[in-house]
Amino acid sequence: MSIPAGTYAVRAIKGSEQYGYAKTGTPQVGIDLEFIGGEHEGATATTVLYFSENAKKYAFERLRALGWSGDDVGDLTGIDTNEAQATVTYESFEGKERMKVDIRTGGGGMRFEKTMDAAQRRAFGAQLRGDAAASRPAGAPASRAPAAGGAAQGFGNGGGGGGAPRF
């Protein structure tokens, strides 16, 4: 069954872990995931976690998202505890298209390292207000300004936005 690219609810399958090495020698763990709900209910796919010096932090985040609470990666008891979100994409590898499944962590995409506080957001809005007004199509009504001290919906640290897409 071919699963289209997208984001899906999944759960790890207990006992499905495979331990091995990438061609580069990097340790890796494969974990089978079962898709939950929707038209792909019951379908399975494997996610591969890499444990290189740079990648292991993200591998641990993904294991924790699945429900693992241990300290020994050789024992992934609890890996099937949580429902998680996985993103399916397709990529070309060694001349063949293959499905790639990544466990999502952090509740969304990117996060800014340096964020604006409320005063900085107000100054930013005031600085660009004229440019924003000039970009409005002719005859389009002006939007109402946010309440004093607030930010426009979907921007800054509140309002549900923060710049990261939500799935």
Side-chain angles (χ1 to χ4, degrees):
M1 171 189 307
S2 179
I3 298 172
T7 301
Y8 300 91
V10 296
R11 185 179 307 274
I13 299 172
K14 182 178 181 175
S16 69
E17 308 88 66
Q18 301 174 54
Y19 294 84
Y21 296 95
K23 290 180 182 178
T24 61
T26 299
Q28 58 187 5
V29 177
I31 300 170
D32 292 341
L33 305 171
E34 182 176 2
F35 289 75
I36 301 169
E39 66 181 280
H40 302 293
E41 172 88 34
T44 61
T46 303
T47 188
V48 179
L49 306 177
Y50 299 93
F51 290 85
S52 69
E53 195 59 37
N54 292 330
K56 66 185 175 183
K57 171 187 174 192
Y58 305 106
F60 287 127
E61 287 176 3
R62 291 175 174 124
L63 289 171
R64 301 294 184 202
L66 291 170
W68 179 67
S69 61
D71 294 327
D72 179 358
V73 180
D75 177 7
L76 295 179
T77 299
I79 200 74
D80 59 332
T81 303
N82 294 345
E83 179 179 310
Q85 296 291 306
T87 301
V88 173
T89 57
Y90 287 86
E91 64 185 17
S92 181
F93 182 74
E94 296 180 348
K96 297 179 184 175
E97 184 178 76
R98 69 177 195 164
M99 180 170 68
K100 182 178 179 187
V101 182
D102 284 319
I103 305 300
R104 294 181 54 87
T105 60
M110 57 81 64
R111 296 273 185 237
F112 291 124
E113 188 172 309
K114 186 175 179 183
T115 61
M116 294 182 195
D117 62 25
Q120 291 167 322
R121 289 193 313 263
R122 285 190 301 275
F124 176 64
Q127 176 186 0
L128 294 175
R129 188 164 289 122
D131 293 323
S135 73
R136 192 173 41 244
S143 62
R144 68 180 183 89
Q153 181 81 10
F155 290 93
N157 294 330
R166 303 289 182 223
F167 298 97

